[in-house]
Amino acid sequence: MQWIVLFLLLWFINSMEMLTQDRRKIQVSTTLFENCTGCIMCSEDNGCTSCQQKLFLLLWRDGIRQYGACLHACPSGYFGVRGQEVNRCIKCRSPNCEICFSKDFCIKCKKPFFLHKGKCFSTCPLDTMAQPSTQECKPEKCEMGPWGNWSPCANQGQTCGWRWGSATRSREAIKTSKEETEACPVLTESRKCRMKKRCPGEKKGKRNQRKEKRERKQRRRKKLDVLLAT
């Protein structure tokens, strides 16, 4: 009796698995391959295996199973290669590439990546600047204007009263294109400079301070003499 129950249970499990696979086959054949449209040879399990003339065969894997479909143009991330027997869609090597000319040469990147010499970059390499409108990295060709005059030597906002300070000057990028002008930064530089130690009128003020200091010392001495005398 136990063997009969076990046999019925295994038969039920196997039937459910076969039903699931049949449903998947129907879904694959009707949704992914659109009833084998454009195919010369078509499998219910794997889709198209060969296509009509001028169509491209796209193959991809889902686990261990391979599927195929016939398309008029290759999808994003693939490029078309025409052959004598079959036209194929080949996947771009870079996952960040939207359209590629060959397996290793991209001609359009997915956002937010930028194209430079057939590669896709998240940030443009040195000596290049990003062009958001085209998603490309272009060489920096900033024509720089002349340097301006040096600013007055200053330290903490004062132009005197310190021994050393700093002076700055700047120049701007000259460009005809507004987009390129915004990409070229304004360059500045600074240098160390000597300042006037004494500000105007400071000499007289210091003399008065020294005089007041001497007078205070004299008054303290007089008080001390009086205390000693008593």
Side-chain angles (χ1 to χ4, degrees):
M1 186 67 180
Q2 293 180 352
W3 286 102
I4 296 174
V5 174
L6 182 60
F7 173 77
L8 292 174
L9 180 61
L10 291 174
W11 177 81
F12 176 75
I13 293 173
N14 187 45
S15 299
M16 292 300 294
E17 289 180 353
M18 291 180 65
L19 180 61
T20 303
Q21 291 178 0
D22 291 340
R23 287 178 178 175
R24 185 179 180 186
K25 290 177 183 179
I26 294 172
Q27 183 181 6
V28 167
S29 62
T30 56
T31 58
L32 289 180
F33 308 119
E34 300 179 356
N35 297 324
C36 299
T37 302
C39 299
I40 296 177
M41 296 181 62
C42 184
S43 167
E44 191 178 55
D45 293 330
N46 304 106
C48 297
T49 56
S50 62
C51 300
Q52 297 177 8
Q53 192 176 10
K54 296 184 179 180
L55 296 182
F56 291 92
L57 176 63
L58 173 66
L59 298 175
W60 72 95
R61 287 189 176 275
D62 184 6
I64 61 174
R65 182 172 293 183
Q66 179 175 272
Y67 300 102
C70 294
L71 306 171
H72 289 279
C74 295
S76 174
Y78 290 80
F79 69 99
V81 176
R82 295 192 179 275
Q84 294 181 354
E85 297 182 358
V86 62
N87 303 324
R88 294 185 179 275
C89 289
I90 308 298
K91 192 173 184 179
C92 305
R93 188 181 296 276
S94 172
N96 303 322
C97 181
E98 183 174 337
I99 303 174
C100 56
F101 176 76
S102 63
K103 200 169 186 177
D104 295 308
F105 195 91
C106 188
I107 56 177
K108 184 179 180 182
C109 298
K110 298 178 181 178
K111 291 183 178 180
F113 297 93
F114 295 92
L115 180 67
H116 181 64
K117 294 183 178 179
K119 306 292 182 183
C120 295
F121 297 87
S122 56
T123 56
C124 289
L126 292 175
D127 300 326
T128 64
M129 57 185 178
Q131 296 283 340
S133 59
T134 59
Q135 286 184 250
E136 294 179 320
C137 298
K138 290 191 174 181
E140 280 189 337
K141 295 180 180 178
C142 296
E143 182 183 350
M144 304 308 300
W147 285 106
N149 297 326
W150 288 102
S151 66
C153 191
N155 190 330
Q156 297 185 7
Q158 297 182 0
T159 57
C160 59
W162 300 84
R163 184 176 182 181
W164 294 100
S166 62
T168 61
R169 67 176 183 175
S170 63
R171 62 178 179 176
E172 296 184 355
I174 302 173
K175 276 288 179 181
T176 56
S177 170
K178 182 180 179 182
E179 186 177 8
E180 291 178 348
T181 302
E182 292 175 352
C184 295
V186 176
L187 299 180
T188 61
E189 64 178 5
S190 60
R191 67 180 182 182
K192 192 176 181 181
C193 55
R194 276 187 173 273
M195 297 177 60
K196 295 180 179 180
K197 293 182 181 180
R198 297 175 181 176
C199 295
E202 184 180 6
K203 186 181 292 185
K204 183 177 180 181
K206 284 190 175 182
R207 286 181 179 178
N208 293 335
Q209 290 177 1
R210 287 195 293 268
K211 183 178 179 181
E212 291 176 359
K213 190 175 181 179
R214 286 196 301 268
E215 291 176 351
R216 285 197 297 269
K217 286 182 179 180
Q218 290 175 0
R219 285 195 294 269
R220 285 197 295 269
R221 286 176 182 176
K222 287 181 180 181
K223 289 181 181 180
L224 183 60
D225 292 340
V226 171
L227 290 174
L228 291 175
T230 57

